Amino acid sequence: MSEYDFDLFVIGAGSGGVRASRVASAYGAKVAVAEEHRVGGTCVIRGCVPKKLLVYGSHFAEDLEDAKNYGWTIEGASFSWPALRDHVLNDVDRLNAAYTTTLNNHDVHIFHERATIIAPHRVRLASGQEVSAKFILIATGARPFVPEFPGSDLCITSNEMFHLDALPKRAVIAGGGYIANEFAGILNALGTRVTVVNRGNTILRGYDEQVRDRLLQIYMTKGIEFKFKAPFEKVEKREDGTLDVYLTGHDPIHADIVLFATGRVPNVEGLGLGHVGITPDDLGAIPVDDYSKTSCDSIYAVGDVTNRVQLTPVAIREGQAFADTVFGDKPSTVDYGCIPAAVFSQPPIASVGLTEGEARNRYGNIRVYSSDFRPMRNVFAHRAERGLYKMITEEPSGRILGLHMIGPDSPEILQAAAVAVKAGLTKQAFDDTVALHPSMAEELVLLK
Ligand code: FAD
């Protein structure tokens, strides 16, 4: 008999926690997981999945318009936000049930309540029950950050976007990151007048400059307004429930919703880290070693709460590597090189490896190849939008250091090309590959 109730107690049933739980259990460990909201976590319940469904749903506006040029007459087309919202929420329910079933099938005990750490091998549940475990895994993720200012309580975050009663006529979106730009695209496509407000002077910091400039240009053409260097002063509510947004140095904006997408902070508040000597870093993240172990030997942490790379596939890999290391006798670390990423804006952006600026700073001798083209389907639909693909190579070897794309379906195309970048292939290998014609992806093997 073990001296503990469980071999592993996981706090948080999101991307990292679910993977770690079921893999550890498959290795023979007795596992429990606590989830205070819904099994599946951010990605499934209020992140990647419902977001992507809204992107698909909103894109029909453009597709239906373009369909005319392809010979279709679509009479009486109309859109219902409640219908899209409810279908998306139904799919979230389906996935929530599927994740719960996976955990049940792996004999993982689920506590549907909040857990906090009270000792290196002990957690306390919201009900007051205490449970002991040989190992504890913190997989509590992150939450939206909203700065404090007068009226900040009138603003919403991405969490609430999936539950709006009605489609707003006017929306102000604070932030310049991927979540802000994705919701800007969704709402704009659905007919909302969108203003993106940014404290700085750029969107999508960290992405290739030319690619993000292209998105800015396309978004402005689509009617999205941008206000840069515009810190929030206050938000006030009118009698009719609409909002007035006051920004320093800009005219006030009248809006139905104000969405804050200004970053996500690790969920460590009230977790009991002080009881086990774990000190979060300056950004509130839990410091871990290469094997995701914290400063306390029996406690590990994976996913957004460690703020390494806040993406679902990374949290999943970290959860897998943790379970392999601790329960599978296969010490494993995660390779953080060449992680592909996308912005599901309209059109989307996809990227892997170094940007031109990063490559120049790190390697000096680089070469940039690009293709600035109008996708065939846009030409036919009389849509002026151009795509842009960029490849950065190290010279003289020609090894690819980065690939950056904006254009229809670019995340789908980039995932495959990322394999080549990760494998260290050269520009020559792309040149040696015959184009698949006609496609947008063929631009990748025709770069000049
Ligand atoms: P989470 O999935 O957040 O899971 C943590 C869980 O812990 C939550 O369910 C929470 O309720 C629970 N919890 C917290 N504290 C406690 C406690 N004390 N006790 C019990 N339970 C607790 N990533 C991508 O890769 N691609 C995308 O397109 C993408 N889009 C996104 C869009 C949005 C709007 C958002 C918000 C995020 C998006 N992400 C995307 C990021 C992705 O969702 C996260 O990186 C991922 O979910 C992190 O997984 P995790 O396991 O670390 O945490």
Side-chain angles (χ1 to χ4, degrees), residues 239-262:
E239 263 179 26
D240 64 0
T242 60
L243 305 168
D244 286 310
V245 179
Y246 296 89
L247 309 164
T248 308
H250 295 264
D251 290 338
I253 311 170
H254 186 210
D256 302 290
I257 62 162
V258 180
L259 163 65
F260 259 80
T262 42

Side-chain angles (χ1 to χ4, degrees), residues 8 19-31 319 322-324 327:
L8 173 64
R19 173 59 68 96
S21 301
R22 76 164 170 77
V23 176
S25 180
Y27 282 130
K30 190 176 173 198
V31 183
F322 156 78
D324 288 344
F327 297 101

Side-chain angles (χ1 to χ4, degrees), residues 45-61 79-89 91-92 158-164 167 179 182-190 259 344-346:
I45 306 294
R46 46 196 183 187
C48 336
V49 173
K51 176 269 309 271
K52 186 78 183 277
L53 291 171
L54 291 184
V55 171
Y56 282 137
S58 61
H59 206 273
F60 278 100
F79 171 73
S80 159
W81 164 257
L84 174 61
R85 179 200 60 203
D86 292 348
H87 285 137
V88 170
L89 293 178
D91 207 54
V92 167
S158 56
N159 289 348
E160 291 75 49
M161 280 303 292
F162 303 106
H163 302 271
L164 293 179
L167 188 67
I179 295 175
E182 290 174 342
F183 279 114
I186 292 165
L187 291 175
N188 171 262
L190 293 176
L259 163 65
F344 293 97
S345 44
Q346 302 186 27

